[in-house]
Amino acid sequence: MPELLDLLTRQSRDHALILMDPEGRVTAWLAASEYVFGYTEDEMMGQPLDRMFTPEDLARGLHVHELAVARGHGRAEDDRWQVRKDGTRIWAFGVLTALRDEKGELVGFGKVLRDRTDVKAQIEALRQTGDRAKTVLSTVGHELRNPLSALSAASEVLKLGAGMTLQQAGDLIQRQVVLLRRLADDLMDVARVGTAKLRLSIESLDLLALLREVAEELRPSSETREQQFKVILPEGQVWIEGDPARLRQVVNNLLTNAIKYTPTNGEIALKMTVEGNEAVIRVQDNGAGIAPEELPKIFELFTQVESSMEKSEGGLGIGLAVVKAIVTLHGGSVQVKSEGRGKGSDFAVRLPFTQSKHGLAN
Ligand code: ADP
């Protein structure tokens, strides 16, 4: 047993094991201590652990406090950032234990800790996702308000028969119901993104016909913003294997964004080309553009809700995550290019032809 213990204290790559005298000066520098902190036993013997505390913690007197807590309560939790010899920081989970002899006399301290910088990063990412989810919920609240007040106005009309014709009230209700349904669909897709729950029902479809239809559906909202909307598609048909409803959603989300993030009089283009074994759909605009640091995050769920709200465009940061999930399930990929803020955006969706009989046909 002592032999194995000896091997463990010398060979462990995970746990730093440090023994100290009652004043907190190192008397043994064991196991992974050198590996974790970079200091050798010679450098640490007789020294306090102060140099491994961050300047912030030292300023708060944590190095003294921790020993006092262990002295008083037998142990002190020790989960915090620590500084290595080379100046880098690690997040360590550790415990400082007060060691007492049979008479209860304090004879020293033992510290066992493990570098879990990886876990800290995961915790931080979860916290950010939680924060973003809260922002989304409050945005959902805002998005529900407008249709609700419109519907409430329409119901007044139906009750009192005043102000609007029944036809107008009916139209208004229908428009708001479409908005609410879209919101509900987006929210349901959130849970499906990244899980097996997003299912495709694949069939052979003419991609060009689908693109023309979605473009015509969205043309009116682009015209309302007096934008130039160019649809540049080859003649004929392009057959691929795909889920028509989901692919519509992809093109719809990209075009809706292009319209939304491009100002009045701006330009929007929908293009499709066949490149090798792929159909490439491009949605381009000369609008708001995307800053280089935002590009890598743009397809993540809930990304940029805040900045899009700054642009007072609402939005939940769901659309592009859904685009990516659907395209990936089709065996394809989606890329974005932008020269920066205010310089327009260029989205490319690549969908593979799964069988050779598919492709461009006249
Ligand atoms: P939403 O538009 O609801 O915020 P999306 O997932 O569709 O969510 O888009 C995420 C973010 O990407 C948007 O908030 C916006 O900042 C940015 N974005 C998407 N498309 C464009 C575009 N065509 N031009 C500029 N920014 C865009």
Side-chain angles (χ1 to χ4, degrees):
M1 186 65 177
E3 253 173 69
L4 289 182
L5 197 57
D6 184 48
L7 288 176
L8 177 69
T9 56
R10 280 192 288 126
Q11 293 180 2
S12 168
R13 281 300 207 190
D14 293 303
H15 289 94
L17 173 57
I18 304 162
L19 298 176
M20 287 169 278
D21 66 16
E23 276 72 50
R25 287 183 299 251
V26 173
T27 54
W29 189 247
L30 304 167
S33 299
E34 180 175 342
Y35 181 73
V36 170
F37 288 108
Y39 293 104
T40 62
E41 187 176 20
D42 284 351
E43 286 172 305
M44 288 309 298
M45 287 304 265
Q47 301 296 321
L49 295 184
D50 299 8
R51 66 184 75 175
M52 270 111 70
F53 283 73
T54 63
E56 308 88 272
D57 286 344
L58 282 177
R60 290 194 294 142
L62 202 67
H63 55 311
V64 180
H65 179 73
E66 212 170 80
L67 290 170
V69 171
R71 231 180 258 123
H73 300 276
R75 64 196 293 284
E77 293 279 344
D78 194 15
D79 302 340
R80 57 185 165 78
W81 289 106
Q82 309 218 9
V83 187
R84 303 183 74 242
K85 185 180 179 183
D86 64 9
T88 53
R89 291 186 175 200
I90 55 165
W91 178 268
F93 286 121
V95 180
L96 178 70
T97 310
L99 306 172
R100 295 181 183 278
D101 63 16
E102 311 88 79
K103 287 177 264 159
E105 202 79 25
L106 183 75
V107 290
F109 294 96
K111 191 194 255 291
V112 180
L113 60 81
R114 189 167 175 204
D115 174 3
R116 292 319 305 268
T117 311
D118 53 339
V119 174
K120 179 65 177 169
Q122 287 164 13
I123 294 172
E124 189 52 28
L126 283 174
R127 197 185 59 73
Q128 284 174 10
T129 307
D131 285 351
R132 281 190 271 164
K134 277 188 216 158
T135 314
V136 167
L137 286 177
S138 99
T139 313
V140 170
H142 281 285
E143 301 252 317
L144 284 172
R145 282 203 155 171
N146 292 339
L148 285 176
S149 52
L151 289 171
S152 145
S155 74
E156 286 298 312
V157 171
L158 294 179
K159 269 203 308 210
L160 304 173
M164 268 185 239
T165 63
L166 284 182
Q167 170 79 34
Q168 285 169 326
D171 285 349
L172 188 154
I173 291 174
Q174 213 163 16
R175 274 200 307 276
Q176 301 305 324
V177 166
V178 168
L179 286 179
L180 288 173
R181 183 170 300 138
R182 196 171 302 151
L183 182 63
D185 286 348
D186 272 359
L187 290 175
M188 284 170 67
D189 278 338
V190 170
R192 297 193 184 118
V193 168
T195 69
K197 286 187 189 136
L198 194 72
R199 293 246 166 74
L200 299 184
S201 76
I202 299 284
E203 57 186 69
S204 283
L205 62 94
D206 175 10
L207 188 61
L208 282 177
L210 184 147
L211 292 175
R212 287 189 198 103
E213 279 167 29
V214 179
E216 288 324 303
E217 276 162 27
L218 291 178
R219 189 177 288 284
S221 64
S222 174
E223 279 170 359
T224 312
R225 293 173 80 96
E226 291 171 44
Q227 294 162 340
Q228 245 194 69
F229 186 6
K230 293 186 196 151
V231 179
I232 303 167
L233 301 173
E235 292 291 312
Q237 303 169 338
V238 168
W239 289 89
I240 65 157
E241 299 285 308
D243 181 326
R246 288 300 188 179
L247 288 179
R248 271 171 179 280
Q249 202 179 354
V250 166
V251 183
N252 184 80
N253 287 0
L254 292 176
L255 275 177
T256 305
N257 278 349
I259 295 168
K260 187 159 90 171
Y261 297 111
T262 300
T264 312
N265 293 323
E267 277 177 32
I268 289 165
L270 171 66
K271 300 176 183 169
M272 203 227 70
T273 48
V274 173
E275 296 176 17
N277 197 32
E278 292 174 326
V280 185
I281 304 165
R282 287 201 168 79
V283 176
Q284 299 164 332
D285 66 64
N286 67 353
I290 300 158
E293 66 272 16
E294 290 171 353
L295 283 175
K297 299 185 290 184
I298 200 111
F299 294 102
E300 283 172 25
L301 205 50
F302 306 145
T303 286
Q304 288 211 292
V305 172
E306 279 141 290
S307 61
S308 54
M309 272 167 61
E310 272 162 31
K311 289 179 230 156
S312 69
E313 296 294 351
L316 302 173
I318 295 174
L320 288 181
V322 171
V323 165
K324 183 168 181 193
I326 295 174
V327 170
T328 307
L329 279 178
H330 279 84
S333 62
V334 54
Q335 289 95 27
V336 57
K337 280 191 274 183
S338 174
E339 301 288 316
R341 279 267 160 91
K343 303 220 171 118
S345 309
D346 182 341
F347 287 85
V349 169
R350 296 171 177 276
L351 296 170
F353 297 113
T354 42
Q355 289 167 27
S356 54
K357 72 181 164 83
H358 293 112
L360 198 56
N362 282 304

mmCIF file of all heavy atoms in Angstrom, residues 253-254 257-258 260-262 285 287-290 294 298 300 303-305 307-308 311 314-321 344-345 347, ligand 1:
data_model
loop_
_atom_site.group_PDB
_atom_site.id
_atom_site.type_symbol
_atom_site.label_atom_id
_atom_site.label_comp_id
_atom_site.label_asym_id
_atom_site.label_seq_id
_atom_site.Cartn_x
_atom_site.Cartn_y
_atom_site.Cartn_z
ATOM 1 N N ASN A 253 -35.692 32.085 -44.717
ATOM 2 C CA ASN A 253 -34.962 32.740 -43.623
ATOM 3 C C ASN A 253 -33.843 33.639 -44.155
ATOM 4 O O ASN A 253 -33.645 34.748 -43.666
ATOM 5 C CB ASN A 253 -34.358 31.694 -42.671
ATOM 6 C CG ASN A 253 -35.416 31.019 -41.811
ATOM 7 O OD1 ASN A 253 -36.603 31.328 -41.924
ATOM 8 N ND2 ASN A 253 -34.999 30.091 -40.968
ATOM 9 N N LEU A 254 -33.108 33.132 -45.154
ATOM 10 C CA LEU A 254 -31.984 33.927 -45.676
ATOM 11 C C LEU A 254 -32.484 35.187 -46.382
ATOM 12 O O LEU A 254 -31.939 36.280 -46.198
ATOM 13 C CB LEU A 254 -31.134 33.088 -46.636
ATOM 14 C CG LEU A 254 -30.350 31.938 -45.996
ATOM 15 C CD1 LEU A 254 -29.631 31.122 -47.059
ATOM 16 C CD2 LEU A 254 -29.347 32.477 -44.971
ATOM 17 N N ASN A 257 -33.926 37.726 -43.874
ATOM 18 C CA ASN A 257 -32.839 38.471 -43.234
ATOM 19 C C ASN A 257 -32.278 39.526 -44.177
ATOM 20 O O ASN A 257 -32.034 40.661 -43.775
ATOM 21 C CB ASN A 257 -31.701 37.524 -42.826
ATOM 22 C CG ASN A 257 -31.982 36.839 -41.505
ATOM 23 O OD1 ASN A 257 -32.903 37.202 -40.792
ATOM 24 N ND2 ASN A 257 -31.185 35.827 -41.188
ATOM 25 N N ALA A 258 -32.038 39.128 -45.436
ATOM 26 C CA ALA A 258 -31.458 40.071 -46.406
ATOM 27 C C ALA A 258 -32.350 41.301 -46.530
ATOM 28 O O ALA A 258 -31.868 42.441 -46.541
ATOM 29 C CB ALA A 258 -31.277 39.390 -47.763
ATOM 30 N N LYS A 260 -34.581 42.312 -44.262
ATOM 31 C CA LYS A 260 -34.656 42.968 -42.962
ATOM 32 C C LYS A 260 -33.410 43.810 -42.665
ATOM 33 O O LYS A 260 -33.500 44.905 -42.128
ATOM 34 C CB LYS A 260 -34.803 41.869 -41.904
ATOM 35 C CG LYS A 260 -35.057 42.318 -40.506
ATOM 36 C CD LYS A 260 -35.687 41.188 -39.687
ATOM 37 C CE LYS A 260 -34.645 40.329 -39.004
ATOM 38 N NZ LYS A 260 -35.220 39.376 -38.040
ATOM 39 N N TYR A 261 -32.241 43.273 -43.014
ATOM 40 C CA TYR A 261 -30.990 43.953 -42.656
ATOM 41 C C TYR A 261 -30.437 44.816 -43.785
ATOM 42 O O TYR A 261 -29.262 45.172 -43.780
ATOM 43 C CB TYR A 261 -29.949 42.934 -42.173
ATOM 44 C CG TYR A 261 -30.391 42.226 -40.910
ATOM 45 C CD1 TYR A 261 -30.730 40.876 -40.920
ATOM 46 C CD2 TYR A 261 -30.502 42.932 -39.711
ATOM 47 C CE1 TYR A 261 -31.160 40.238 -39.766
ATOM 48 C CE2 TYR A 261 -30.926 42.297 -38.552
ATOM 49 C CZ TYR A 261 -31.252 40.953 -38.590
ATOM 50 O OH TYR A 261 -31.677 40.339 -37.439
ATOM 51 N N THR A 262 -31.277 45.110 -44.788
ATOM 52 C CA THR A 262 -30.852 45.997 -45.874
ATOM 53 C C THR A 262 -31.791 47.193 -45.894
ATOM 54 O O THR A 262 -33.006 47.022 -45.836
ATOM 55 C CB THR A 262 -30.892 45.249 -47.230
ATOM 56 O OG1 THR A 262 -30.011 44.130 -47.145
ATOM 57 C CG2 THR A 262 -30.451 46.147 -48.376
ATOM 58 N N ASP A 285 -26.745 40.691 -50.244
ATOM 59 C CA ASP A 285 -27.350 42.020 -50.070
ATOM 60 C C ASP A 285 -26.248 43.036 -49.866
ATOM 61 O O ASP A 285 -25.101 42.675 -49.603
ATOM 62 C CB ASP A 285 -28.338 42.018 -48.888
ATOM 63 C CG ASP A 285 -27.657 41.804 -47.552
ATOM 64 O OD1 ASP A 285 -26.845 42.662 -47.146
ATOM 65 O OD2 ASP A 285 -27.920 40.759 -46.899
ATOM 66 N N GLY A 287 -26.540 45.476 -47.539
ATOM 67 C CA GLY A 287 -27.060 46.145 -46.350
ATOM 68 C C GLY A 287 -26.107 46.175 -45.168
ATOM 69 O O GLY A 287 -24.899 46.390 -45.326
ATOM 70 N N ALA A 288 -26.664 45.892 -43.993
ATOM 71 C CA ALA A 288 -25.993 46.101 -42.703
ATOM 72 C C ALA A 288 -24.638 45.407 -42.566
ATOM 73 O O ALA A 288 -23.758 45.883 -41.855
ATOM 74 C CB ALA A 288 -26.904 45.640 -41.565
ATOM 75 N N GLY A 289 -24.458 44.268 -43.251
ATOM 76 C CA GLY A 289 -23.189 43.551 -43.150
ATOM 77 C C GLY A 289 -22.953 42.999 -41.755
ATOM 78 O O GLY A 289 -23.761 43.193 -40.843
ATOM 79 N N ILE A 290 -21.847 42.283 -41.618
ATOM 80 C CA ILE A 290 -21.560 41.609 -40.354
ATOM 81 C C ILE A 290 -20.091 41.847 -40.006
ATOM 82 O O ILE A 290 -19.207 41.672 -40.852
ATOM 83 C CB ILE A 290 -21.847 40.094 -40.495
ATOM 84 C CG1 ILE A 290 -23.320 39.880 -40.861
ATOM 85 C CG2 ILE A 290 -21.508 39.347 -39.214
ATOM 86 C CD1 ILE A 290 -23.606 38.573 -41.529
ATOM 87 N N GLU A 294 -18.058 38.767 -35.525
ATOM 88 C CA GLU A 294 -19.379 38.144 -35.367
ATOM 89 C C GLU A 294 -19.572 36.980 -36.334
ATOM 90 O O GLU A 294 -20.397 36.101 -36.091
ATOM 91 C CB GLU A 294 -20.483 39.179 -35.590
ATOM 92 C CG GLU A 294 -20.559 40.196 -34.468
ATOM 93 C CD GLU A 294 -21.502 41.340 -34.772
ATOM 94 O OE1 GLU A 294 -21.995 41.429 -35.904
ATOM 95 O OE2 GLU A 294 -21.734 42.146 -33.864
ATOM 96 N N ILE A 298 -22.321 33.512 -36.117
ATOM 97 C CA ILE A 298 -23.599 33.913 -36.683
ATOM 98 C C ILE A 298 -24.626 32.776 -36.798
ATOM 99 O O ILE A 298 -25.822 32.997 -36.715
ATOM 100 C CB ILE A 298 -23.343 34.594 -38.036
ATOM 101 C CG1 ILE A 298 -24.521 35.435 -38.432
ATOM 102 C CG2 ILE A 298 -23.011 33.632 -39.119
ATOM 103 C CD1 ILE A 298 -24.215 36.877 -38.380
ATOM 104 N N GLU A 300 -24.891 30.294 -34.658
ATOM 105 C CA GLU A 300 -25.232 29.707 -33.359
ATOM 106 C C GLU A 300 -26.606 30.184 -32.907
ATOM 107 O O GLU A 300 -27.004 31.309 -33.190
ATOM 108 C CB GLU A 300 -24.205 30.141 -32.307
ATOM 109 C CG GLU A 300 -22.895 29.394 -32.410
ATOM 110 C CD GLU A 300 -21.846 29.989 -31.483
ATOM 111 O OE1 GLU A 300 -22.225 30.609 -30.476
ATOM 112 O OE2 GLU A 300 -20.661 29.834 -31.796
ATOM 113 N N THR A 303 -27.708 33.861 -31.360
ATOM 114 C CA THR A 303 -26.636 34.824 -31.547
ATOM 115 C C THR A 303 -27.193 36.179 -31.937
ATOM 116 O O THR A 303 -28.088 36.257 -32.777
ATOM 117 C CB THR A 303 -25.651 34.321 -32.623
ATOM 118 O OG1 THR A 303 -24.886 33.291 -32.045
ATOM 119 C CG2 THR A 303 -24.716 35.431 -33.063
ATOM 120 N N GLN A 304 -26.627 37.214 -31.326
ATOM 121 C CA GLN A 304 -26.818 38.581 -31.797
ATOM 122 C C GLN A 304 -28.195 39.125 -31.606
ATOM 123 O O GLN A 304 -28.570 40.041 -32.312
ATOM 124 C CB GLN A 304 -26.529 38.604 -33.289
ATOM 125 C CG GLN A 304 -25.060 38.458 -33.539
ATOM 126 C CD GLN A 304 -24.702 39.196 -34.763
ATOM 127 O OE1 GLN A 304 -25.116 38.776 -35.819
ATOM 128 N NE2 GLN A 304 -23.994 40.268 -34.635
ATOM 129 N N VAL A 305 -28.936 38.530 -30.692
ATOM 130 C CA VAL A 305 -30.241 39.097 -30.423
ATOM 131 C C VAL A 305 -30.089 40.560 -30.035
ATOM 132 O O VAL A 305 -30.782 41.424 -30.541
ATOM 133 C CB VAL A 305 -30.920 38.319 -29.285
ATOM 134 C CG1 VAL A 305 -32.195 39.004 -28.859
ATOM 135 C CG2 VAL A 305 -31.215 36.923 -29.762
ATOM 136 N N SER A 307 -27.607 42.796 -30.616
ATOM 137 C CA SER A 307 -27.234 43.775 -31.631
ATOM 138 C C SER A 307 -28.358 43.951 -32.647
ATOM 139 O O SER A 307 -28.565 45.031 -33.161
ATOM 140 C CB SER A 307 -25.935 43.390 -32.315
ATOM 141 O OG SER A 307 -26.071 42.157 -32.950
ATOM 142 N N SER A 308 -29.135 42.857 -32.909
ATOM 143 C CA SER A 308 -30.222 43.045 -33.869
ATOM 144 C C SER A 308 -31.317 43.904 -33.247
ATOM 145 O O SER A 308 -32.003 44.638 -33.933
ATOM 146 C CB SER A 308 -30.778 41.709 -34.370
ATOM 147 O OG SER A 308 -31.159 40.882 -33.330
ATOM 148 N N LYS A 311 -30.498 47.384 -33.701
ATOM 149 C CA LYS A 311 -30.908 47.844 -35.031
ATOM 150 C C LYS A 311 -32.430 47.929 -35.084
ATOM 151 O O LYS A 311 -33.003 48.116 -36.132
ATOM 152 C CB LYS A 311 -30.391 46.868 -36.092
ATOM 153 C CG LYS A 311 -28.893 46.916 -36.304
ATOM 154 C CD LYS A 311 -28.468 45.900 -37.358
ATOM 155 C CE LYS A 311 -27.320 45.039 -36.862
ATOM 156 N NZ LYS A 311 -27.239 43.755 -37.521
ATOM 157 N N GLY A 314 -35.896 43.592 -34.005
ATOM 158 C CA GLY A 314 -36.426 42.416 -33.306
ATOM 159 C C GLY A 314 -35.589 41.212 -33.675
ATOM 160 O O GLY A 314 -34.405 41.317 -33.923
ATOM 161 N N GLY A 315 -36.203 40.050 -33.758
ATOM 162 C CA GLY A 315 -35.428 38.862 -34.130
ATOM 163 C C GLY A 315 -34.972 38.125 -32.892
ATOM 164 O O GLY A 315 -34.655 38.723 -31.870
ATOM 165 N N LEU A 316 -34.955 36.800 -33.028
ATOM 166 C CA LEU A 316 -34.642 35.963 -31.872
ATOM 167 C C LEU A 316 -33.293 35.273 -32.002
ATOM 168 O O LEU A 316 -32.853 34.611 -31.090
ATOM 169 C CB LEU A 316 -35.732 34.898 -31.696
ATOM 170 C CG LEU A 316 -37.156 35.407 -31.515
ATOM 171 C CD1 LEU A 316 -38.126 34.263 -31.514
ATOM 172 C CD2 LEU A 316 -37.265 36.192 -30.228
ATOM 173 N N GLY A 317 -32.657 35.412 -33.165
ATOM 174 C CA GLY A 317 -31.394 34.698 -33.355
ATOM 175 C C GLY A 317 -31.605 33.209 -33.523
ATOM 176 O O GLY A 317 -30.782 32.393 -33.124
ATOM 177 N N ILE A 318 -32.719 32.845 -34.142
ATOM 178 C CA ILE A 318 -33.031 31.426 -34.348
ATOM 179 C C ILE A 318 -32.861 31.056 -35.817
ATOM 180 O O ILE A 318 -32.382 29.971 -36.152
ATOM 181 C CB ILE A 318 -34.488 31.139 -33.894
ATOM 182 C CG1 ILE A 318 -34.630 31.366 -32.384
ATOM 183 C CG2 ILE A 318 -34.900 29.708 -34.257
ATOM 184 C CD1 ILE A 318 -36.055 31.252 -31.884
ATOM 185 N N GLY A 319 -33.236 31.984 -36.702
ATOM 186 C CA GLY A 319 -33.316 31.704 -38.137
ATOM 187 C C GLY A 319 -32.085 31.044 -38.744
ATOM 188 O O GLY A 319 -32.196 30.026 -39.419
ATOM 189 N N LEU A 320 -30.895 31.603 -38.471
ATOM 190 C CA LEU A 320 -29.702 31.063 -39.117
ATOM 191 C C LEU A 320 -29.284 29.723 -38.512
ATOM 192 O O LEU A 320 -28.728 28.870 -39.204
ATOM 193 C CB LEU A 320 -28.545 32.062 -39.035
ATOM 194 C CG LEU A 320 -28.664 33.290 -39.933
ATOM 195 C CD1 LEU A 320 -27.446 34.192 -39.777
ATOM 196 C CD2 LEU A 320 -28.826 32.885 -41.396
ATOM 197 N N ALA A 321 -29.565 29.530 -37.222
ATOM 198 C CA ALA A 321 -29.266 28.228 -36.600
ATOM 199 C C ALA A 321 -30.120 27.146 -37.264
ATOM 200 O O ALA A 321 -29.650 26.027 -37.521
ATOM 201 C CB ALA A 321 -29.537 28.280 -35.108
ATOM 202 N N GLY A 344 -22.635 44.877 -46.527
ATOM 203 C CA GLY A 344 -23.411 43.819 -47.166
ATOM 204 C C GLY A 344 -23.000 42.427 -46.732
ATOM 205 O O GLY A 344 -21.979 42.240 -46.054
ATOM 206 N N SER A 345 -23.828 41.446 -47.078
ATOM 207 C CA SER A 345 -23.562 40.055 -46.698
ATOM 208 C C SER A 345 -23.791 39.145 -47.892
ATOM 209 O O SER A 345 -24.561 39.466 -48.790
ATOM 210 C CB SER A 345 -24.499 39.613 -45.578
ATOM 211 O OG SER A 345 -24.474 40.537 -44.534
ATOM 212 N N PHE A 347 -24.448 35.053 -48.407
ATOM 213 C CA PHE A 347 -24.642 33.706 -47.860
ATOM 214 C C PHE A 347 -24.653 32.694 -49.004
ATOM 215 O O PHE A 347 -25.286 32.935 -50.033
ATOM 216 C CB PHE A 347 -25.971 33.615 -47.102
ATOM 217 C CG PHE A 347 -25.952 34.329 -45.768
ATOM 218 C CD1 PHE A 347 -26.216 35.693 -45.703
ATOM 219 C CD2 PHE A 347 -25.671 33.646 -44.599
ATOM 220 C CE1 PHE A 347 -26.195 36.357 -44.475
ATOM 221 C CE2 PHE A 347 -25.652 34.305 -43.372
ATOM 222 C CZ PHE A 347 -25.911 35.661 -43.314
HETATM 223 P P1 ADP B 1 -32.564 37.152 -36.188
HETATM 224 O O1 ADP B 1 -32.544 37.762 -37.536
HETATM 225 O O2 ADP B 1 -33.913 36.698 -35.768
HETATM 226 O O3 ADP B 1 -31.859 37.970 -35.151
HETATM 227 P P2 ADP B 1 -30.956 35.042 -37.349
HETATM 228 O O4 ADP B 1 -30.463 33.762 -36.759
HETATM 229 O O5 ADP B 1 -31.736 34.956 -38.594
HETATM 230 O O6 ADP B 1 -31.745 35.776 -36.218
HETATM 231 O O7 ADP B 1 -29.707 35.959 -37.597
HETATM 232 C C1 ADP B 1 -28.741 36.120 -36.590
HETATM 233 C C2 ADP B 1 -28.072 37.469 -36.685
HETATM 234 O O8 ADP B 1 -27.275 37.519 -37.854
HETATM 235 C C3 ADP B 1 -29.022 38.638 -36.840
HETATM 236 O O9 ADP B 1 -29.433 39.116 -35.589
HETATM 237 C C4 ADP B 1 -28.196 39.667 -37.579
HETATM 238 O O10 ADP B 1 -27.448 40.425 -36.667
HETATM 239 C C5 ADP B 1 -27.243 38.831 -38.403
HETATM 240 N N1 ADP B 1 -27.659 38.715 -39.804
HETATM 241 C C6 ADP B 1 -28.318 37.691 -40.397
HETATM 242 N N2 ADP B 1 -28.513 37.918 -41.715
HETATM 243 C C7 ADP B 1 -27.950 39.113 -41.972
HETATM 244 C C8 ADP B 1 -27.813 39.915 -43.160
HETATM 245 N N3 ADP B 1 -28.285 39.518 -44.353
HETATM 246 N N4 ADP B 1 -27.162 41.094 -43.029
HETATM 247 C C9 ADP B 1 -26.666 41.496 -41.828
HETATM 248 N N5 ADP B 1 -26.773 40.806 -40.674
HETATM 249 C C10 ADP B 1 -27.399 39.621 -40.747
#
